Amino acid sequence: MKTEKQVEYMTLPGMTALSEVFWSPQKTRNWSDFKNRLKDMSKRYDVMGINYPKHVLVED
C-alpha cells in the first residue's frame, strides 16, 4: 500500500476485532456487545482522523 491512509483503511477495525479475540476469553465473547463497543471505538477513530471503512459498522 502506498500511503498511511490506505494502511489504516485496510487494518481497521479488523485490528480491533483481532485484539478482542486475543484478549477476551472465548466463553465471554459477545458479538452484540463487541459491535456496541466498536461504535464507541469508531468515535475515537474519527477524533484521531483515522481512515477506516465506515460501511462495516452499518447494522445488518
Side-chain angles (χ1 to χ4, degrees), residues 13-25:
M15 183 172 55
T16 304
L18 186 60
S19 297
E20 176 77 9
V21 169
F22 282 115
W23 292 341
S24 300

Side-chain angles (χ1 to χ4, degrees), residues 13-21 23-24 28-42 45 56-57 59:
M15 183 172 55
T16 304
L18 186 60
S19 297
E20 176 77 9
V21 169
W23 292 341
S24 300
T28 64
R29 293 181 202 151
N30 180 295
W31 175 243
S32 295
D33 180 55
F34 175 71
K35 285 194 314 185
N36 287 331
R37 289 184 286 120
L38 189 56
K39 288 178 191 175
D40 291 336
M41 190 66 184
S42 70
Y45 296 157
V56 301
L57 302 176
E59 291 292 322

Side-chain angles (χ1 to χ4, degrees), residues 41-55:
M41 190 66 184
S42 70
K43 293 173 188 174
R44 292 182 185 102
Y45 296 157
D46 292 338
V47 168
M48 294 185 291
I50 293 175
N51 185 34
Y52 66 97
K54 293 169 178 60
H55 69 275

